[in-house]
Structures are given as C-alpha cells and as structure tokens.
Amino acid sequence: MTAKGQKKKSYPKQEHLILIGFMGSGKTSMGLRLSYRLQMPVEDTDKIIAERNGKSISDIFAEQGESAFRQMETDLLREIREGKFSRRILSLGGGTPVQLQNQPLIRQCGTVIYLRIRPETVYERLKGDTSRPLLQCEDPLERIRKMIRERGPAYERCADLILDVDDKKQPELVEEIVTYLKETGYLKEDAGKENK
Ligand code: S3P
C-alpha cells in the first residue's frame, strides 16, 4: 500500500512474453516450444515458487493454504515487474490473472498471450492428474466449467493476444504467435527462422 500523499513508484514496462490460461491449456509446453523457436529462456512461475519453498504446489496448498500461495504469486509478479529477471518467456499459474491486483502487474510484465481452452478439452487432458489441488473433487468437469466461466473475463482483460487452442496443434499456434510478434514489432522479421 502506498501511504497517503506518497507517490506510487512507476516502473518501465518489461519485455517478457507471458503465457496465461487455464490449467491444462498448454502454457508449459508452449513455453518450451517458443523458447526453442525464439531462442529465449523460459520459466514457469509455479516452478519458481515450488523451488523457493522446497515443496510442490500441492504441498504449499495443503500446508500453508491457497491464500499464502496467492500472495507468493503476487510477490513474484512484483519482482518481475521491477525488472529482476532478464527478458524471457514466462508461463504463469492458471489462477494468477484472477486476482484484480495482479492484472495491471501482469500487463506491466510484457506481452501477454492467452491460451483459451474449452472445459471439455481441459477435462480430457487432465483426467487422472493429481498435481492440481483445485481439481481434486467429486465432479471435476463441473468445477472446470464453473472456473472457466468465472475466470474468462480476467484472462481476457490481461491479454494482448487470444488464441483458441482446442482444435489446433501447438506448432501451428507457435507460428501464429510468431506472426503476431512480428506484426507488433516485438520480433524482427527474420527472428528464429532456422528453428522452425
Ligand atoms: C492453479 C493453477 C496451477 C497452479 C495451482 C493453481 C489455478 O498452475 O498454479 O495449482 O488456480 O488455476 P497451472 O495452470 O500451471 O496448472
């Protein structure tokens, strides 16, 4: 919080490539593909948080609770916004854009790509997965539908580019991203040609 009368510190916009989207939308694998294609380092914010805590996201949820995890996400976004990381691809946890206070932070961190996915596709992809604490419930499909309905506007508010991922293969999506990044001047015309 900024004390009354005190000026809020302003930061220059960072130049990361940020991937957002619901669990199972392919942020991690897309991050890896883009990393190869663009020759840029890639990082998963969940992984950074897990490593810093020396435990899995599931254990953080179980032992410290979801709100402690959400605070860690916000703290990490602030570090990124303040320029503590060199330019890279960052895939964010599926819930990071949901908190209102995170939305301007995410936008200040770079160019934001939203991988939009249908609930049924998430369900098929994550059936049997036990690493997502929020989906360990009686009726995961219903939970996924509800969460996507509620979160959609938050993802859209953060996004510079929205891609529907259900019916496309990742290499095709990567090329769409590259085309977009060239159009906006983020990438030079000949960027990463040899890594196609
Ligand atoms: C969450 C998504 C997960 C992880 C945590 C909470 C969410 O990340 O941050 O389990 O609230 O959607 P992935 O989207 O990488 O699975």
Side-chain angles (χ1 to χ4, degrees):
M1 256 246 222
T2 317
K4 226 180 170 182
Q6 202 180 316
K7 256 198 161 176
K8 234 181 177 177
K9 199 163 188 294
S10 68
Y11 299 92
K13 185 168 163 121
Q14 299 293 309
E15 292 190 331
H16 303 293
L17 257 191
I18 316 274
L19 297 173
I20 61 169
F22 198 75
M23 292 173 266
S25 57
K27 300 178 296 279
T28 302
S29 50
M30 182 66 88
L32 290 169
R33 282 182 190 276
L34 280 171
S35 167
Y36 178 73
R37 178 74 169 80
L38 305 176
Q39 296 296 291
M40 272 170 75
V42 63
E43 204 112 41
D44 233 273
T45 53
D46 272 352
K47 205 163 155 231
I48 298 174
I49 292 174
E51 274 167 14
R52 286 182 177 180
N53 285 273
K55 52 182 137 176
S56 68
I57 302 297
S58 297
D59 287 345
I60 297 174
F61 267 69
E63 293 165 23
Q64 291 159 261
E66 181 174 348
S67 64
F69 173 72
R70 298 299 175 199
Q71 187 58 51
M72 294 173 199
E73 290 186 301
T74 303
D75 292 343
L76 180 53
L77 281 178
R78 290 207 173 104
E79 284 181 43
I80 298 166
R81 185 261 312 251
E82 285 162 24
K84 295 214 174 127
F85 294 77
S86 59
R87 187 169 105 133
R88 64 197 58 205
I89 298 158
L90 287 163
S91 37
L92 305 189
T96 315
V98 178
Q99 290 192 80
L100 272 184
Q101 57 175 344
N102 291 351
Q103 294 170 10
L105 285 174
I106 292 172
R107 296 206 42 83
Q108 284 160 19
C109 286
T111 298
V112 185
I113 298 163
Y114 168 28
L115 305 181
R116 186 163 60 187
I117 189 165
R118 288 194 290 265
E120 295 72 22
T121 315
V122 174
Y123 179 71
E124 281 307 313
R125 287 188 184 179
L126 296 185
K127 248 187 328 198
D129 176 286
T130 55
S131 69
R132 268 75 170 203
L134 294 175
L135 300 183
Q136 308 312 303
C137 60
E138 276 278 297
D139 189 346
L141 179 56
E142 205 32 55
R143 167 77 59 90
I144 294 166
R145 285 199 176 113
K146 183 168 182 290
M147 289 176 80
I148 289 186
R149 217 171 27 242
E150 290 168 352
R151 289 178 170 190
Y155 292 136
E156 286 173 18
R157 263 197 300 278
C158 292
D160 291 299
L161 174 68
I162 301 176
L163 290 175
D164 289 306
V165 302
D166 304 87
D167 304 319
K168 283 186 182 157
K169 296 237 169 1
Q170 278 200 340
E172 195 183 337
L173 292 165
V174 167
E175 292 316 311
E176 286 183 26
I177 294 174
V178 170
T179 303
Y180 170 78
L181 295 174
K182 285 180 179 167
E183 278 167 11
T184 59
Y186 182 96
L187 287 178
K188 294 205 177 68
E189 273 306 315
D190 59 350
K193 255 188 189 150
E194 63 281 7
N195 298 312
K196 232 177 159 175

